[in-house]
Amino acid sequence: MAADYVIVGSGVAGIAAAEALRARAPGASITIVTEDADGFYSRPGLAYYLSGTIPEKQLFLRSQADLRNLGLRWVQARATQIDVVGHRLVLADGRNLTYDKLLIATGARAAAPDCPGGDLDGVFTLDTLGDAKRLVRKANNSDQAVVVGGGITALELAEGLHARGVNVHYLLRGARYWSNVLDAEESHLVEDHLRSDGVELHYHARVRQALGKKGKLIAVETDSGEQISCQILAVAIGTRPHLDLARAAGIKVDRGILTDAYLRTSAPDILAAGDVAQVYDERSGIASLDTLWPTARAHGEAAAATMSGAPAPYQRTAAMNVTLIANIPTTIIGALGSGSDEDLVAIARGDSESWRGAKPAWVIVEQHEVNRVRLMLGERTISGALVMGDQTLSRPLHRLIAAEADISPIRDALLADQHAMPQLIAAFADEWERSHAHNA
Amino acid sequence: MALTRRSIHFDLTRADVLASGHVQPDPSLCVQCGICSYNCPLGLDVRDYAWRGAPIFDGQCLTCGQCVARCPRGVLAFARTGMAQQVVPLRPNPKD
């Protein structure tokens, strides 16, 4: 009998799993259960929709016809319970779906605003296309916004609202932006760019309360007593995996749903993938959260392999994100920082816990006016890197970091003259690629 | 417009890329935002190639570079197809 696969969630992990399952099992029944009325779209693309770079329709990377051709059964509903023994998923409207294998790919939700007045009309978090559309509509009728939080989403909100003609105040709780991934110089580069774009930065500023009139936001009050009048308060203080479904079913959870390298949870025939999954890595012996689109896609594909009976472990590589931070092309690879960031209460989107696993290392920096490369140099390997501006070195560095390439031949030279670093890395990476290709 | 050496160099380089290059995506960086497809003057679905990690081997692709330049995440790059040998290399100007 054909297998019955049920996937909860219509983000990239869920859809990548559905596509891979269809390729592996042409006759199987595949059901997607999602609360999101907009279905599958590029969630990272919301930043570019918010700034007006692309229209809404561009966010959809699969047409209705594409999805029909995959032969998916699409159920728009909230999943409320799992009957682990009976292999049944219970929906909020009372329906039951039986499954042979169940994949939980429910993603993460933005942490709720942590100040009084957080429920006023005009206070926003950014999770879904629906949220982005409401924010755009509000921005078109607003002239002042306050943004709080950290990581990439907070900047995307600040820049998106600014691009929509709203005067933006960005409140940082500490002395600088994203202090547990960027170093002080990198934070200042980002802050300088924001200021030159016209965003007003406030340091050591915390929202004491959001003030409203007839349920509508009119201002925020900071803990120094200052009031900033605004119609929008956009909050990006981190995300938390949707754990309710797994918790209620007695599935083991930590910060996310715990899975092995094959994406299997503690419950039989139930897997988890994407932002909701805290996946065990056999090499490091650590289970960590990532909120990166390519990682979620790879999770979905690995889960599909396990579900279809041909398990192949998810191969974690050095976490990497390339994005514009305040319009500066920036690549973050491997372990770079440590500690916590006052602006975030949980992991941001487009983030990886592994970036904060920096071990004692020599830090080598090569900087020009707009370009900057920072290397975290271990005894034999490069453990992390951050490339701002010119991106020539980002791909070679990702290869060297992901492969844990032995850089001892150039280590002394790197330490002796940091200005020679770009040439040394480029030449070494070329040579390494050649010998690697030869050995492979 | 004056026909400067620089503009000749640009045109010949571009001709070289047109004749011998293609756009190559790196799917490990792509978040499928669709800015590439939105800006393609020929309406090619560059994003779909990026999902599949496939080079843009489409007869209509002009290798104009709009997608390469506009991708906010550096997913797309020009790559040689190995046909470059057929193009006469530019001679450096001894005065340069």
Side-chain angles (χ1 to χ4, degrees):
Chain A
M1 206 177 77
D4 220 335
Y5 300 120
V6 175
I7 298 167
V8 190
S10 61
V12 64
I15 299 299
E19 288 188 351
L21 281 170
R22 179 54 76 223
R24 288 165 179 273
S29 157
I30 305 173
T31 305
I32 303 265
V33 179
T34 180
E35 272 188 87
D36 195 330
D38 290 306
F40 179 42
Y41 50 87
S42 172
R43 218 226 68 93
L46 294 181
Y48 310 118
Y49 163 64
L50 187 58
S51 63
T53 311
I54 48 171
E56 180 193 337
K57 70 173 173 30
Q58 196 63 27
L59 294 167
F60 296 93
L61 53 148
R62 296 286 179 273
S63 66
Q64 289 297 322
D66 292 334
L67 295 171
R68 264 198 309 278
N69 291 340
L70 269 179
L72 306 179
R73 181 178 165 213
W74 203 273
V75 177
Q76 197 195 321
R78 189 163 60 87
T80 53
Q81 252 183 299
I82 304 168
D83 171 1
V84 174
V85 177
H87 281 53
R88 281 182 316 129
L89 179 72
V90 182
L91 307 183
D93 57 16
R95 278 182 290 174
N96 280 254
L97 299 173
T98 56
Y99 63 82
D100 293 317
K101 304 279 180 191
L102 176 71
L103 176 63
I104 305 174
T106 42
R109 75 166 74 94
D114 54 356
C115 63
D119 54 350
L120 287 167
D121 179 12
V123 181
F124 290 86
T125 53
L126 182 62
D127 270 334
T128 63
L129 176 54
D131 294 335
K133 285 198 282 196
R134 279 188 288 279
L135 186 52
V136 166
R137 270 199 301 274
K138 185 72 178 175
N140 291 339
N141 297 307
S142 301
D143 54 19
Q144 289 258 99
V146 169
V147 174
V148 298
I152 292 168
T153 306
L155 275 200
E156 289 173 344
L157 284 165
E159 293 181 296
L161 288 167
H162 181 260
R164 297 256 167 200
V166 181
N167 185 31
V168 175
H169 297 262
Y170 181 20
L171 273 53
L172 290 163
R173 289 176 177 178
R176 62 185 181 90
Y177 170 70
W178 214 4
S179 58
N180 61 354
V181 172
L182 306 184
D183 71 9
E185 190 61 38
E186 290 151 2
S187 295
H188 294 149
L189 277 172
V190 172
E191 292 158 21
D192 286 347
H193 266 252
L194 283 175
R195 259 192 299 273
S196 69
D197 282 350
V199 173
E200 293 184 40
L201 281 104
H202 302 244
Y203 298 94
H204 303 290
R206 193 178 279 264
V207 175
R208 182 186 288 161
Q209 58 176 331
L211 304 169
K213 198 172 179 182
K214 294 181 182 165
K216 282 194 172 180
L217 176 77
I218 54 164
V220 300
E221 183 184 298
T222 69
D223 51 6
S224 67
E226 184 188 4
Q227 289 196 3
I228 304 170
S229 78
C230 58
Q231 299 83 42
I232 294 172
L233 169 60
V235 179
I237 53 175
T239 68
R240 294 204 170 93
H242 283 278
L243 297 179
D244 304 352
L245 196 58
R247 259 204 198 111
I251 296 169
K252 277 189 189 161
V253 299
D254 177 27
R255 299 185 299 288
I257 300 174
L258 289 168
T259 79
D260 64 11
Y262 297 87
L263 288 310
R264 294 179 292 217
T265 69
S266 63
D269 299 317
I270 301 178
L271 298 89
D275 292 0
V276 79
Q278 189 178 337
V279 181
Y280 181 73
D281 174 39
E282 287 170 338
R283 270 170 65 195
S284 66
I286 294 171
S288 59
L289 291 175
D290 287 279
T291 48
L292 300 165
W293 169 283
T295 304
R297 180 183 171 185
H299 282 177
E301 288 168 354
T306 306
M307 292 164 85
S308 63
Y314 163 67
Q315 301 282 356
R316 186 182 171 82
T317 61
M320 172 168 173
N321 198 359
V322 189
T323 191
L324 293 174
I325 302 184
N327 256 334
I328 311 169
T330 303
T331 303
I332 305 167
I333 316 162
L336 289 152
S338 59
S340 58
D341 178 351
E342 285 184 80
D343 290 308
L344 291 166
V345 298
I347 188 168
R349 284 193 201 282
D351 196 351
S352 171
E353 288 184 341
S354 64
W355 290 340
R356 285 172 287 282
K359 296 183 175 64
W362 290 94
V363 180
I364 300 180
V365 173
E366 211 274 332
Q367 181 167 7
H368 295 284
E369 204 172 328
V370 287
N371 300 322
R372 188 172 208 270
V373 181
R374 172 160 60 104
L375 291 191
M376 307 299 280
L377 197 59
E379 285 303 315
R380 297 173 67 84
T381 58
I382 303 171
S383 51
L386 193 139
V387 184
M388 287 182 121
D390 184 334
Q391 294 295 307
T392 311
L393 288 181
S394 61
R395 282 183 207 217
L397 280 171
H398 184 236
R399 292 273 290 161
L400 296 177
I401 293 168
E404 296 177 10
D406 182 353
I407 49 87
S408 342
I410 55 165
R411 191 170 185 279
D412 289 345
L414 283 171
L415 290 169
D417 180 7
Q418 53 194 38
H419 295 300
M421 182 240 279
Q423 292 75 24
L424 285 168
I425 292 289
F428 180 77
D430 270 357
E431 185 55 40
W432 186 86
E433 290 286 355
R434 264 196 294 277
S435 61
H436 192 74
H438 181 69
N439 294 338
Chain B
M1 195 181 89
L3 200 61
T4 62
R5 176 160 189 87
R6 186 179 167 153
S7 69
I8 293 169
H9 182 81
F10 177 85
D11 283 349
L12 289 175
T13 307
R14 186 158 177 272
D16 183 10
V17 171
L18 282 170
S20 64
H22 60 261
V23 174
Q24 175 73 52
D26 178 350
S28 71
L29 305 178
C30 180
V31 296
Q32 294 283 302
C33 66
I35 288 177
C36 51
S37 304
Y38 184 61
N39 287 288
C40 175
L42 273 296
L44 300 181
D45 193 359
V46 182
R47 161 166 61 185
D48 187 52
Y49 287 89
W51 176 268
R52 292 183 278 115
I56 297 151
F57 284 143
D58 184 303
Q60 290 193 53
C61 177
L62 302 171
T63 53
C64 68
Q66 282 289 327
C67 58
V68 176
R70 287 174 189 263
C71 172
R73 293 174 184 251
V75 172
L76 303 161
F78 287 118
R80 300 277 168 192
T81 54
M83 291 159 67
Q85 296 89 332
Q86 294 166 17
V87 178
V88 179
L90 291 167
R91 277 197 206 92
N93 183 348
K95 288 178 190 166
D96 284 350

